Amino acid sequence: MTSTLGRPRHATAHIRVRVAHALAGGTAAAVWLLLPATAHAPGHPVTVPTSVSTTGVSTTASAPVVAASSGTAPTAAASETARQDGSAVDLALPLVVAVAAVVVAGYGYVRRTRRVRTRTTPAVMPSAPPARGTGEAERRAREALVRADDCVRASAEELSYVAEPEGGPAREALRAAESELTAAFAIFRRCTEGVPEDADARRQALVGVVGRCEEAGRRLDTEAAALDRLRGLQAGVGPALGVAERRFRELTSRAAAAQGTVAVLRERYGVRADAHTEVALDRLVFATARLNETRRAADSGDDRMAARQLRAAEGAISQAAVQVDGVERLAARLDAASALVPVALAAAEEDPATPARAGEVLAAVREAPAPYDPLDALRRITGAVRRPGEARAEVLREAARLVAEAATEEAADYLAVRRGAVGADARTLLAAARQALAATDRRAEYDAEADVLARRARESAEEDVRAYASPYAEEPGHPAGLAGAVLGGVLLGEEPDGGPPASYGGPATRDRRRLS
């Protein structure tokens, strides 16, 4: 049974059990991650990443740890990669990082519980009820949209590890799939709003949504085998592993800097972005283990397992990058908004077209004590002055655009790393926000619409995540980061170890690296 908040009623009775499980799992993960340092002979040095503080207040650098791989001779490509990388050590993170993952999990759980209990934001507006006879068609359309969107996202993640101009056909197929999916989301949104009104016509439109999603998947499936041949993972992961390891090291350094940025944003603007670095750390811990497993499988000659582990690591690294990029973008947006607030406020106050009733809103913005969120301030200013006079329109349009872009980016970042739990409504709203931002006829109402749609998308995604119950979070002994990897769609959750990694391809090929 589920409560009105979407959380199982018995969940609160197991808080202590979950904490114990998290501690047990984290301790086991720490021991497991450190085993290579004692079980292997030197041979594959790689740089240890900088550890990331989970508090968001300070950052520390972990000491280098020289670690190990098996005694089997490395491939020529892997050796070349190691020589190019120079200073390298084994990818086993220090014990402090594994413990940090436990702290992150516990802190995140408590924070989420508190947020659910004290939530004051309004619920997401429900979609129009299905017309008689369209319920099954809508259900199939929702499933098809989620499946196709997941395939497109996973395909884009894997393609990011293929240097251009290679992979041209796969990139073209991805663009075609994205086009089909965009059209499908637009049709579905109109259907959920009751358009067309005729039930038979709406049912046919929903069938069209499914058809477009299936075509998107078919285009990706067609190119999956060719991309595998291009990457050559089944014949050895050496070069691809070198690329993933380099990205991993670069990202851990950026993640440490992001922790400091999060602390600055909280102090300067009162904006909390801790979740970004929490998720980034979780995915990096998971990637560490999978990179070690990739190296171990490659050294033992199990190329198929090495390819499976590498794809899981690549997916986790990509999602960690989304979160670190999000912190950097948010900081830039907030700084830009802070500089724009006084200009926009003056423009609104001096504009003769500003309605008298907007005066209270503008006065509240001007008198707001520091620290304050400048993006929210701009949202209030532009909301109060919907139709500015021509003399002041440019600066207020700039403010509305900045607010809409920031809201859309935040919703996209949130959904991207939690897609294993997010349903069709949030994805449809996000697609609509992006479409409004991309409108060629740049009018202020499009930016205002994009902002509203993006915030609704974020709220809908949060509702889905609150209702999500991970089958991998309740049992002790699961590797660190496993639950997050399944939540993020890095793993498809179809096998005891979290399932196969999501790979480039449609529904018929994305899970081709399964064990069975």
Side-chain angles (χ1 to χ4, degrees):
M1 182 177 295
T2 303
S3 71
T4 56
L5 288 173
R7 184 180 295 277
R9 294 186 185 277
H10 66 275
T12 54
H14 295 286
I15 295 177
R16 294 178 182 174
V17 175
R18 292 184 181 185
V19 172
H21 286 172
L23 290 171
T27 304
V31 174
W32 177 61
L33 286 172
L34 292 173
L35 279 177
T38 58
H40 294 173
H44 300 296
V46 186
T47 303
V48 158
T50 304
S51 68
V52 181
S53 166
T54 60
T55 64
V57 176
S58 63
T59 61
T60 58
S62 63
V65 178
V66 177
S69 67
S70 76
T72 305
T75 64
S79 298
E80 178 62 22
T81 300
R83 286 194 295 271
Q84 291 174 355
D85 287 341
S87 64
V89 295
D90 188 89
L91 289 164
L93 285 176
L95 178 61
V96 65
V97 175
V99 174
V102 178
V103 175
V104 168
Y107 168 70
Y109 176 78
V110 172
R111 194 164 60 90
R112 286 191 297 273
T113 302
R114 186 182 299 117
R115 186 168 61 239
V116 167
R117 292 173 177 170
T118 62
R119 178 177 172 83
T120 58
T121 55
V124 178
M125 296 299 293
S127 302
R132 181 173 297 177
T134 65
E136 177 62 18
E138 182 171 327
R139 183 191 65 78
R140 292 185 60 214
R142 288 177 179 277
E143 291 177 353
L145 284 167
V146 170
R147 186 165 52 247
D149 192 41
D150 283 348
C151 289
V152 165
R153 291 172 181 273
S155 297
E157 286 175 355
E158 180 164 9
L159 263 182
S160 71
Y161 288 89
V162 177
E164 294 196 50
E166 294 180 325
R171 296 181 199 281
E172 183 179 346
L174 177 59
R175 286 191 292 269
E178 289 171 339
S179 179
E180 293 285 355
L181 185 59
T182 297
F185 274 129
I187 296 170
F188 182 74
R189 185 186 174 211
R190 290 195 294 271
C191 288
T192 59
E193 293 173 344
V195 179
E197 294 183 2
D198 179 73
D200 288 336
R202 197 189 308 181
R203 189 183 307 108
Q204 287 303 312
L206 291 168
V207 170
V209 169
V210 174
R212 285 186 176 273
C213 291
E214 289 176 346
E215 175 61 14
R218 187 193 67 78
R219 297 295 295 264
L220 296 172
D221 282 331
T222 300
E223 295 299 328
L227 184 67
D228 282 352
R229 288 193 296 271
L230 175 65
R231 299 199 71 193
L233 299 185
Q234 297 302 106
V237 298
L241 178 57
V243 171
E245 289 174 342
R246 284 193 294 273
R247 288 195 185 183
F248 176 86
R249 287 192 294 270
E250 293 166 0
L251 191 58
T252 52
S253 177
R254 290 177 56 210
Q259 283 262 277
T261 301
V262 165
V264 170
L265 297 182
R266 184 169 56 247
E267 180 179 356
R268 183 179 299 168
Y269 301 122
V271 173
R272 301 192 67 88
D274 306 72
H276 287 76
T277 48
E278 288 173 7
V279 173
L281 175 63
D282 182 76
R283 298 297 188 275
L284 288 174
V285 169
F286 177 81
T288 299
R290 292 307 172 114
L291 287 172
N292 277 333
E293 288 298 313
T294 302
R295 178 73 69 184
R296 189 174 292 115
D299 288 345
S300 67
D302 190 347
D303 292 329
R304 184 167 175 268
M305 178 58 73
R308 174 186 168 101
Q309 300 291 359
L310 177 61
R311 268 304 302 138
E314 288 175 341
I317 292 168
S318 293
Q319 292 200 356
V322 166
Q323 296 300 281
V324 174
D325 290 344
V327 171
E328 295 170 353
R329 281 197 309 269
L330 179 60
R333 297 287 190 195
L334 288 168
D335 289 344
S338 180
L340 192 55
V341 165
V343 181
L345 189 58
E349 290 175 335
E350 295 169 7
D351 193 336
T354 299
R357 63 179 178 275
E360 293 183 5
V361 174
L362 300 178
V365 172
R366 182 173 291 281
E367 296 168 6
Y372 69 91
D373 180 349
L375 285 169
D376 182 65
L378 288 181
R379 179 178 290 115
R380 296 168 68 189
I381 294 170
T382 56
V385 190
R386 287 297 185 188
R387 297 183 180 276
E390 287 301 320
R392 307 296 180 184
E394 189 59 36
V395 66
L396 293 175
R397 276 200 295 266
E398 181 184 352
R401 180 73 175 179
L402 182 62
V403 168
E405 289 176 342
T408 303
E409 289 165 355
E410 288 189 51
D413 290 347
Y414 183 89
L415 194 155
V417 298
R418 298 169 178 84
R419 64 178 185 250
V422 177
D425 286 334
R427 298 172 193 243
T428 301
L429 289 166
L430 177 59
R434 285 172 165 164
Q435 188 174 22
L437 277 179
T440 55
D441 181 10
R442 286 259 41 89
R443 296 201 302 266
E445 54 264 34
Y446 285 146
D447 292 329
E449 180 186 13
D451 178 42
V452 171
L453 288 168
R455 286 191 291 152
R456 286 181 59 196
R458 171 69 180 262
E459 290 174 358
S460 178
E462 288 177 343
E463 292 286 347
D464 290 340
V465 171
R466 277 193 287 272
Y468 171 80
S470 171
Y472 299 93
E474 301 294 334
E475 298 296 331
H478 283 134
L482 177 62
V486 175
L487 171 64
V490 173
L491 301 180
L492 297 178
E494 299 169 357
E495 293 170 343
D497 67 345
S503 300
Y504 180 103
T509 58
R510 66 170 180 163
D511 63 348
R512 59 189 176 276
R513 294 188 173 94
R514 61 174 58 254
L515 290 174
S516 57

